[in-house]
Structures are given as C-alpha cells and as structure tokens.
Amino acid sequence: MHRILLASLLAALTLAVFCPPTNGQIAVRDPIRLTHGPMLGMPTASSVRVWARTSDPGEFTVQYGVDAASLTMTSNVGHTQIEHDNTGVLTLDNLAADTRYHYQIHVNGRPHGLPGSFRTLPSAQESRNDEHNPEGLFNFRFQIGSCANQDPLHGAGHRSTTYEHLNEDWADKVHFHIMNGDWLYEELRTYPVEAWRLIQGVETLPLVVDVAPTIVGVWENYKLYLERGVALAQWHRNVPSMFTFDDHELVNDIWGSGESGKRHRRTVFRDIGTQAWYDYLGWANPMQHSDPIHFGKARLTAGSDLLFDPDADFTELPIENMLNLHVHWGTAEAGVNDMRFDNDEGNQNSYVYDIVEVVDAHHLRLHMPAKVDDDAVSYSIGRRSYGMMRVANCEFYILDTRGDRDMHDVSQRDKPGVSMLGKAQLDWLLASMSGSDADFFFVISSVPFMIPHSGAGGFEADAENKEEAWTGFFDERETLIKAWDEMGKKVFVMTGDLHNSFAIKITDHVWEFCCGPHNSVNHVPKNDESDRPATGKWKFGPREMDIRWSSYVLPDLPRLERLYPHYCVVQVNNVFNMPKQLGGKRLVAYPHPQVIFQYFDGRTGELAYAEAISVDR
C-alpha cells in the first residue's frame, strides 16, 4: 500500500513541477512554515534546546516567558538546513532555575505550531545553605522508557495510552525524559529520493542524500511518527528529552558494526540510520565527541587496500575520535526490516573496515583489500555517540550499544575481549565513573544487562545466534560489575529493548531497571528471555541475580493480546524542606539520600511496583 501511495505521489509531484503553469502564472513555493515540532532537549538549570523542522531551509526563533499570555523574550535565530532534512536546533540560555517557561515557535515573524512549556532544573546555588545543605543538593524526577512501536501489527497502534497518561499525570512533574531506544520502528524505508527532492524543491541533492539515498526513508519514518503520534509529539513539546538509539532507529537486529571484515546488509546501515537519528533526536543529548559522521564516494581497486576519495581531506578528520569505515550495501532495501533482503546482493565491497593509516589527504589504507573495482562506492566513517550529564549528586552516562559493537557468539558468551561498547567507550566510562564524586550513577544502556534477549526473530544464517543483550558479552559485563562494586557507590543500569519491565538486584551496589515497552507488543519470557521467572533468584551465565519484580506475559496469549505497556518515573530524594516559617524554603540534606523507582501500568496509569534504594549506612 505504501508503495502504491508513493508512486501516486511521485507522479503527481512530477506533473506539478514539470508541467508549465497556465495563463502566464509563475509557479512558486509556499512561504516557509513549521512542519514538525517543536521538541525539547538537553535540560539544565539555565538552558534548554529547542528543535524544529520547516518546509524549506530557513530561520526560526522562539518567543518565551514565564507567563503563557506574555511571551516577552526572544531567542537567537535558529537555522534549518536541507542536508539535515530542514531540521534545526537553537538553545534558550540565561534561564532562571527551577522555573516553568512557556514558549512558541515563530517563522517569518509569526507564530507557528502549537505552544509548549518546560521546567528548568533546580540549581545548586539556589538550593545551598551553609548549615544544612552545603553541597546545594536538590530533588528531581525523570521518566524513562523504551520501545514505542506505532505499527498496529506490532504494538498498540498510533494511539498510545502510555503517552496520554504521561501527558496528563507527569508532564508538569518530571524535569526530563530519557527515551532509551526504539522510539522509531522501520516504516517508509524505501521512500523514493526523487519524491523527497520534488517535495523539498531542490535541484541538486545534498551530499548525504547523494551518498546515502536510503536516508530519506529514515527521515520520512521520523516525520510519520511525529505526525500520527499525537500524544508522543505533545510529550516532546513539553518535556525535555534525551535519547539513545537502539536497533530500530538503525535497522532491526543490527550486529557487529565494530567487527572488522563483517559483511551484512544491516551491519553497514549504521551510519545512515545514526545520521537521521542525530537530525531528529540525537541533537538533544550531551556528547563526548562532536565530530560528525563523514560521508563520501571513493574509488576502490580489487586487490588494493587503498581507498581514494578526491573530494575528501582525511588529514583534517579526527580519525582517532571516530569509528571504523563502512562501505554501504547500496540497495533500495538496505534499511528495511525484512529478512527477504538479507542476501548477498549488496555492493561486493560492502564490509566493515578498520582504518590502518591516513596516507594523505585523499587516501586511506584499510585493513583488507577490496574485492572488486569500483569508481564511486558510497562509504562513511562513523562517529562516537555517547556522553554524560551531571544533575545534583547523580551522574548520567548515555551509552551507545550499537555503533562499535563486536559480533557476539552465543556458543561462547564469555569469550575474552568481545565488546559491546568498544575500547574507547569502555575506557571513558570506567575512568569517568572512578573519578566522579557522585553518590548515584545512572548508566543508560539501550539493551538488557542481565536478562537474555535471544528470541523474537534473528536473521543470520545461524538463526540460533540471536542475542541483543549483554548476555552475549559476559567478559565485558563482568569487568563492569566488578569495577562498579569496587567503587562502593550505587550504580543503576537503566535498560530497554526487551518489551518487558523488571527490577533486578545484581549486587549490593549494582542494580538493573529495564523500563518498557511504551507502546510495543510484549515479549514472552518463556520464548524470548530464556524462560526467566517473573520474580526470584535466577542465574544465567556466571552470576546469580534477584528479580525483585517484572512484567510477565504467559505464552498462551495471542500476539495482539500481549499489550501491557509500562513506564518508569525515577525520583531522587536528596533533601527535605524545613523552613522556619510555613511556605518558605530551607532545604536540609538527608544523611542518606535515596532513589525511588516507580513503575506504572501504561494502560491505566496505576502504580505497579516501586523500589527505594539509598546510599549505604
């Protein structure tokens, strides 16, 4: 059906653009307007980012203020760019802490889209008092979840009761939201480049579209989710968010993007999907590295390990801070989630390559030679997509579990050196945590930590090798758990991907809280999670765990009866208010601050489970 509609659209657009206007009229484009957004991201005590998409490249501003009826302040100018599908971001600075602001996007000097509001984080300065709270601690809340499929065949459909309850009950109470992967599921992935070009009204394709034409299908996918996900768009308009990407933002079951010499259609879609994620969601995050993905076309010669790109200057790229090089698959279905296309029909040079050496401005030496001659092969060099953020006495580490991931092997789950994170990210994570004075660490991983995700699909020739979770990386997982235990701080691994929620005590200091799904059909633990119990002690691999609570679906339920969404609200209690007069403010620090994890039923909004964890006595 989508292909029929797209073909009709393309025909109509071609007729409109290339047939001359009658009666002497000149065909012109409509004035620039807001098409999607706004969305909010990267909250602090004094700033927030605002995202917008316009119909054409251009400028937008934000009018804002503390009174919804009097938006007296004006932002700097934001710019949308065609190479980012006419998306753009600006930052509102110099905001007052712990204050609710109202705002409205303006394009061409007039209000566009729906208005929104947000609340800034409290500040240490305004919370501090020398006697009772010398560190300036404060309380805050955030919501976290994952997996928001809008396809009625794979979830609750376009209407999301989870986001309706979040908007009604929590939009004014949480300071920010973390969407922990699978915000997007693959639709419109074969959208024609020519249809995109005609709609944008451009003659020349931007470089990223020329090199990676399948990116337009991912862009259209994001627009589709914002358009029909009304409650979802409302939530992002009023609650600042941060995001991880998991497999569906790229393509389902994408494995081995860091594995030298790997060849698979899904594997080499990494940078195409990641770039679209940055355009629509990733702008909202703190990032340790800001170097963009490099896209280009190059010449490869059979038997030679040299890549030649006459338009690149590799000496100017920070190769040491980037990921490896992928030669793209090159088919129209490269980003489609359909096992029919998991064949060998892609470009014969399409592999994962290590960059051995920057030879000169136009030449790279790769770790293995090309298979065939190719004068204009599309390739990309990935970027590192992880970062950290400090809020009060809490450190948040937002990880990338897909970009630099080795290929797992479930026949040897404890194989030494096999990495989910890649060496650079692992070293950064452990060094940052060991050097931090935070009381609580939130490690945001888009995939489960203790529970296997070994069912629900699989596409490799060895179908038994399905594994999404850290349970395919026991060696690295045990390294992390042991290091965290030695720190003596509370570490909360916040996970997603599995379409169930659970709270797991791993050690006295290390916990896992999996949160979701927001809108996707539930997995069956018996089939998809190695038959783990609903609660109780359980061991998978080298370490026993205590499953304190979980959502659990019995295997006798038909697929579309397995619709039990959940979301999690996390409350950090550092202080209590004890003013000398009622109605005043004097924050007193708890000797033992605590974190409360509250799981809610996404269908009813009712509390399902809560767990409170404090610092050691």
Side-chain angles (χ1 to χ4, degrees):
M1 178 61 72
H2 281 151
R3 292 186 178 182
I4 294 172
L5 291 174
L6 288 172
S8 300
L9 173 63
L10 182 57
L13 286 168
T14 303
L15 183 66
V17 171
F18 292 109
C19 288
T22 59
N23 301 325
Q25 295 177 340
I26 299 175
V28 296
R29 289 180 66 79
D30 290 338
I32 184 175
R33 67 190 188 281
L34 184 76
T35 64
H36 299 83
M39 293 195 287
L40 301 168
M42 193 55 224
T44 73
S46 60
S47 66
V48 72
R49 294 176 188 168
V50 183
W51 174 95
R53 184 187 183 276
T54 55
S55 57
D56 291 275
E59 298 180 347
F60 70 98
T61 59
V62 173
Q63 300 285 333
Y64 63 103
V66 295
D67 182 354
S70 181
L71 305 180
T72 58
M73 292 179 277
T74 303
S75 72
N76 60 340
V77 175
H79 299 271
T80 63
Q81 299 174 309
I82 188 64
E83 57 265 35
H84 300 292
D85 197 30
N86 294 337
T87 65
V89 182
L90 61 78
T91 301
L92 303 183
D93 288 312
N94 302 314
L95 304 177
D98 200 19
T99 300
R100 178 155 296 279
Y101 284 88
H102 302 267
Y103 74 100
Q104 172 77 65
I105 292 275
H106 279 240
V107 180
N108 282 332
R110 301 186 64 82
H112 278 237
L114 293 171
S117 72
F118 61 90
R119 179 182 172 192
T120 53
L121 285 165
S123 71
Q125 181 179 354
E126 295 182 8
S127 303
R128 181 180 293 114
N129 66 76
D130 292 338
E131 182 178 1
H132 297 292
N133 188 21
E135 295 182 22
L137 298 179
F138 50 83
N139 301 335
F140 66 95
R141 289 193 192 100
F142 66 94
Q143 189 271 329
I144 185 167
S146 62
C147 306
N149 201 336
Q150 293 185 18
D151 186 340
L153 296 178
H154 298 94
H158 308 167
R159 177 189 173 187
S160 172
T161 56
T162 292
Y163 282 99
E164 290 174 355
H165 287 298
L166 285 171
N167 285 321
E168 182 176 355
D169 299 335
W170 294 103
D172 292 337
K173 296 177 183 177
V174 299
H175 291 89
F176 58 91
H177 160 60
I178 298 175
M179 183 62 189
N180 198 10
D182 294 341
W183 186 97
L184 193 73
Y185 285 69
E186 303 90 336
E187 299 183 54
L188 304 184
R189 290 298 182 96
T190 56
Y191 194 88
V193 171
E194 183 65 3
W196 180 87
R197 186 189 71 78
L198 292 171
I199 290 172
Q200 310 316 312
V202 296
E203 301 239 347
T204 303
L205 295 176
L207 174 66
V208 67
V209 178
D210 184 42
V211 172
T214 49
I215 196 173
V216 304
V218 191
W219 284 339
E220 294 302 317
N221 198 173
Y222 278 106
K223 286 179 274 194
L224 176 68
Y225 267 50
L226 284 171
E227 288 162 4
R228 70 188 185 191
V230 175
L232 172 75
Q234 178 185 345
W235 174 256
H236 289 305
R237 192 168 62 247
N238 294 295
V239 179
S241 299
M242 287 166 288
F243 304 85
T244 63
F245 58 80
D246 199 45
D247 55 342
H248 291 288
E249 281 84 6
L250 311 183
V251 62
N252 186 37
D253 290 354
I254 181 172
W255 303 330
S257 293
E259 186 76 22
S260 304
K262 183 168 177 58
R263 173 176 171 79
H264 200 282
R265 171 180 73 90
R266 299 177 189 241
T267 301
V268 295
F269 200 76
R270 177 195 66 189
D271 296 335
I272 301 169
T274 302
Q275 181 58 58
W277 175 81
Y278 271 103
D279 296 332
Y280 276 83
L281 301 179
W283 56 268
N285 287 15
M287 286 292 171
Q288 190 70 13
H289 299 281
S290 58
D291 311 297
I293 299 169
H294 173 79
F295 289 93
K297 288 190 175 182
R299 184 172 73 214
L300 293 173
T301 303
S304 171
D305 59 3
L306 290 180
L307 177 146
F308 172 65
D309 183 349
D311 298 318
D313 186 350
F314 294 122
T315 64
E316 294 294 317
L317 290 182
I319 297 292
E320 67 282 358
N321 289 328
M322 301 179 75
L323 298 179
N324 52 20
L325 184 146
H326 287 184
V327 169
H328 300 166
W329 198 247
T331 65
E333 298 83 14
V336 175
N337 181 22
D338 190 328
M339 288 185 286
R340 290 180 302 163
F341 304 118
D342 293 327
N343 49 43
D344 198 41
E345 294 179 2
N347 186 294
Q348 291 306 296
N349 287 319
S350 182
Y351 287 88
V352 175
Y353 295 88
D354 286 339
I355 299 172
V356 175
E357 177 188 8
V358 177
V359 178
D360 56 35
H362 304 309
H363 289 88
L364 293 176
R365 189 176 305 282
L366 306 179
H367 84 284
M368 69 179 194
K371 304 296 183 183
V372 298
D373 291 344
D374 197 327
D375 288 334
V377 67
S378 293
Y379 76 96
S380 55
I381 304 173
R383 66 173 291 180
R384 303 194 189 280
S385 301
Y386 51 84
M388 58 185 289
M389 179 180 76
R390 180 69 176 252
V391 181
N393 58 341
C394 300
E395 209 84 72
F396 290 81
Y397 295 90
I398 302 176
L399 303 184
D400 170 9
T401 65
R402 298 288 177 175
D404 205 14
R405 175 179 178 148
D406 291 337
M407 188 62 205
H408 62 268
D409 182 354
V410 298
S411 70
Q412 193 179 358
R413 293 175 180 268
D414 59 351
K415 183 178 180 180
V418 178
S419 178
M420 170 85 75
L421 300 178
K423 185 178 187 305
Q425 185 176 192
L426 177 65
D427 290 349
W428 162 82
L429 176 64
L430 290 176
S432 300
M433 294 179 74
S434 63
S436 174
D437 64 352
D439 290 322
F440 301 111
F441 295 110
F442 293 90
V443 179
I444 316 301
S445 162
S446 68
V447 295
F449 200 61
M450 299 300 292
I451 302 294
H453 184 183
S454 53
F459 63 87
E460 296 280 345
D462 178 8
E464 300 302 317
N465 200 33
K466 163 81 175 185
E467 183 55 88
E468 300 294 303
W470 288 87
T471 45
F473 301 83
F474 282 149
D475 179 59
E476 185 172 61
R477 192 190 72 175
E478 288 301 303
T479 296
L480 288 170
I481 294 173
K482 290 173 184 176
W484 293 338
D485 244 1
E486 291 173 2
M487 292 176 191
K489 306 276 187 78
K490 300 302 180 187
V491 178
F492 309 121
V493 189
M494 312 298 295
T495 63
D497 189 57
L498 270 177
H499 299 175
N500 276 308
S501 289
F502 42 80
I504 296 176
K505 183 177 182 181
I506 303 169
T507 73
D508 287 342
H509 293 111
V510 183
W511 295 69
E512 177 182 4
F513 293 95
C514 189
C515 309
H518 271 179
N519 205 50
S520 302
V521 65
N522 293 74
H523 287 137
V524 177
K526 183 175 180 61
N527 303 329
D528 304 329
E529 302 171 27
S530 295
D531 201 19
R532 55 101 176 161
T535 58
K537 298 290 183 68
W538 191 58
K539 186 175 183 180
F540 187 90
R543 186 177 291 273
E544 187 178 65
M545 68 197 80
D546 181 3
I547 304 174
R548 314 275 280 202
W549 169 86
S550 74
S551 61
Y552 195 90
V553 175
L554 294 174
D556 60 352
L557 271 65
R559 179 177 181 83
L560 292 183
E561 295 300 319
R562 305 198 314 256
L563 299 175
Y564 293 92
H566 283 82
Y567 58 92
C568 183
V569 176
V570 182
Q571 180 168 321
V572 180
N573 285 341
N574 286 314
V575 297
F576 59 94
N577 191 25
M578 189 52 58
K580 291 186 176 180
Q581 289 186 317
L582 290 174
K585 179 180 178 181
R586 182 177 59 168
L587 300 182
V588 180
Y590 282 112
H592 304 93
Q594 70 262 189
V595 181
I596 306 171
F597 299 84
Q598 302 169 88
Y599 285 92
F600 294 87
D601 186 315
R603 295 177 68 85
T604 66
E606 295 294 321
L607 179 68
Y609 180 77
E611 182 93 41
I613 303 167
S614 66
V615 300
D616 291 341
R617 274 17 182 198

